[in-house]
């Protein structure tokens, strides 16, 4: 008699063989994107623009769709075009506009999804890629990488005041040293 383990192995083998022989092959759509990830800094109620280059790596025309994965952040994005067709080896720039609401602050993450679908397929066969997007919404008054290096809630105006308190006495001392040299000469 067969042991239970031998029976499971035989059934699994023939099940797998039946799946391979009874299914028709499906050609997946080709898609390439650049950049592979995106990181942006933006002020609340501000906006930034970026683009993603989508490339048709397949050997047939494909229909592409672009959308934001997290619906709660999709209001921040404008995508143009959202749908387009590309021939083999062709590419398209997809423009992204990112505009967080005025109450936002901190770091937010989502994905821009680009899906390529076979043009004349009844099954709508295709594949897609996700481009990770990290959005740093800076505190009001801060721009660029300065925000990352400032401690706590220090504003940009406060930083300028601190620099002014350090720079002003230095300029006065240099002025009087130069004036004294002229008098002594």
């Amino acid at each position: 008699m067969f042991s239970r383990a031998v029976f499971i192995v035989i059934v699994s083998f023939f099940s797998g063989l039946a799946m391979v022989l009874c299914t028709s092959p499906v050609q997946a759509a080709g898609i390439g994107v650049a950049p592979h990830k995106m990181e942006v800094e933006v002020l609340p109620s501000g906006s930034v623009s970026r683009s993603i280059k989508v490339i048709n790596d397949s050997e047939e025309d494909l229909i592409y769709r672009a959308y934001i994965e997290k619906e709660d952040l999709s209001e921040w994005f404008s995508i143009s075009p959202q749908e387009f067709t590309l021939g083999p080896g062709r590419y398209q720039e997809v423009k992204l506009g990112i505009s967080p609401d005025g109450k936002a602050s901190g770091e937010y993450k989502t994905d821009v999804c680009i899906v390529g679908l076979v043009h004349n397929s009844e099954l709508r066969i295709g594949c897609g890629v996700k481009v990770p997007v990290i959005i740093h919404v800076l505190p009001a008054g801060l721009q660029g990488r300065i925000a990352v290096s400032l401690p706590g809630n220090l504003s940009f105006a406060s930083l300028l005041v601190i620099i002014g308190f350090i720079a002003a006495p230095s300029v006065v001392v240099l002025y009087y040293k130069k004036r004294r040299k002229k008098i002594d000469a």
Side-chain angles (χ1 to χ4, degrees), residues 4-5 7 16 24-25 29 37-38 53 66 70 79 89 92 101 110 116 118 125 140 144-145 148 155 171 176 179:
R4 187 176 197 167
F7 179 76
S24 60
K37 72 177 195 172
M38 196 177 292
K53 184 177 182 178
K70 286 189 177 177
I79 301 174
Q92 170 78 42
D101 63 39
T110 189
V118 175
I125 299 167
R145 295 274 178 206
V148 176
S155 70
V171 170
Y176 280 109
R179 186 173 174 197

Side-chain angles (χ1 to χ4, degrees), residues 1 6 13 38 40 53 57 72 75 79 86 89 96 109 113 115-116 130 139 148 164 167-168 178:
M1 252 319 132
V6 172
F13 172 78
M38 196 177 292
V40 298
K53 184 177 182 178
D57 289 337
D72 57 330
E75 295 174 7
I79 301 174
L86 288 178
L96 302 173
K109 296 179 182 181
C113 301
V115 178
K130 292 181 179 182
V148 176
K178 200 171 202 181

